[in-house]
């Protein structure tokens, strides 16, 4: 390659950035855009051991902390499950998390990922 890896964004990174855009579009209220804080969610930091949100996921993609789609998928599922642990089932946060989880996991299935990779190359 003419220039070094650092200068040319690698295709895996671009793939994860594309996937995150697709998933984040489903979060229409933006509830999952930033870390949940204890002011809007009392006691959150003592109930949820491993918080996760899209801004953190985007940061990890940027810093190339994901070496596989499985690691990436784990953080997405963690983000949704946290919301289904902290929030009661009748809340909009719980319902949005469940919807996001189901549609996101479907999008991250093996064959869809393969399809996505093919179309991006
Ligand atoms: C994701 C989540 O659990 C969440 C996001 C939010 C949220 C996120 C942005 C704006 C307003 N609320 C929230 N508020 C109270 C309790 C829980 N939450």
């Amino acid at each position: 390659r003419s220039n070094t890896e650092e200068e040319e964004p690698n295709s895996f990174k671009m793939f994860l950035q594309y996937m995150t855009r697709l998933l984040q579009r489903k979060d229409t209220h933006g509830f999952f855009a930033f870390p949940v804080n204890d002011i809007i969610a009392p006691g959150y930091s003592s109930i949820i051991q491993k918080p996760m949100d899209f801004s953190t996921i985007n940061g990890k993609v940027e810093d190339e902390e994901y070496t596989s789609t499985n690691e990436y998928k784990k953080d997405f599922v963690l983000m949704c499950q946290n919301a289904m642990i902290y929030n009661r089932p009748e809340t909009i946060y719980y319902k949005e998390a469940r919807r996001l989880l189901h549609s996101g996991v479907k999008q991250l299935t093996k064959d869809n990922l393969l399809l996505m990779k093919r179309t991006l190359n």
Side-chain angles (χ1 to χ4, degrees):
R1 298 168 70 111
S2 53
N3 48 10
T4 62
E5 276 292 311
E6 279 66 43
E7 280 140 39
E8 261 175 32
N10 65 48
S11 57
F12 182 59
K13 183 175 188 173
M14 285 166 71
F15 169 70
L16 290 182
Q17 286 167 337
Y18 175 69
M19 287 306 299
T20 310
R21 269 200 304 280
L22 287 186
L23 293 171
Q24 190 145 19
R25 269 216 296 262
K26 299 172 187 297
D27 175 25
T28 46
H29 298 276
F31 293 148
F32 302 89
F34 301 105
V36 182
N37 62 65
D38 282 6
I39 298 121
I40 59 169
Y44 193 87
S45 57
S46 49
I47 295 164
I48 298 299
Q49 311 310 324
K50 288 171 66 184
M52 190 47 65
D53 68 285
F54 278 124
S55 72
T56 306
I57 289 173
N58 274 310
K60 287 177 76 171
V61 170
E62 215 37 54
D63 300 345
E64 299 181 12
E65 288 181 54
Y66 295 117
T67 53
S68 73
T69 34
N70 262 355
E71 269 178 38
Y72 172 83
K73 192 166 166 178
K74 258 166 51 183
D75 269 357
F76 172 74
V77 170
L78 170 69
M79 178 181 73
C80 298
Q81 285 178 336
N82 284 343
M84 295 174 76
I85 291 164
Y86 175 82
N87 301 285
R88 295 274 160 276
E90 61 276 0
T91 61
I92 186 167
Y93 305 115
Y94 182 103
K95 289 173 184 155
E96 283 297 286
R98 190 175 46 197
R99 187 178 57 78
L100 185 61
L101 177 64
H102 290 157
S103 63
V105 164
K106 246 189 243 118
Q107 187 174 295
L108 292 168
T109 52
K110 255 196 317 293
D111 35 13
N112 282 354
L113 288 175
L114 211 62
L115 255 173
M116 207 80 69
K117 281 181 188 146
R118 283 217 189 102
T119 46
L120 279 175
N121 286 340

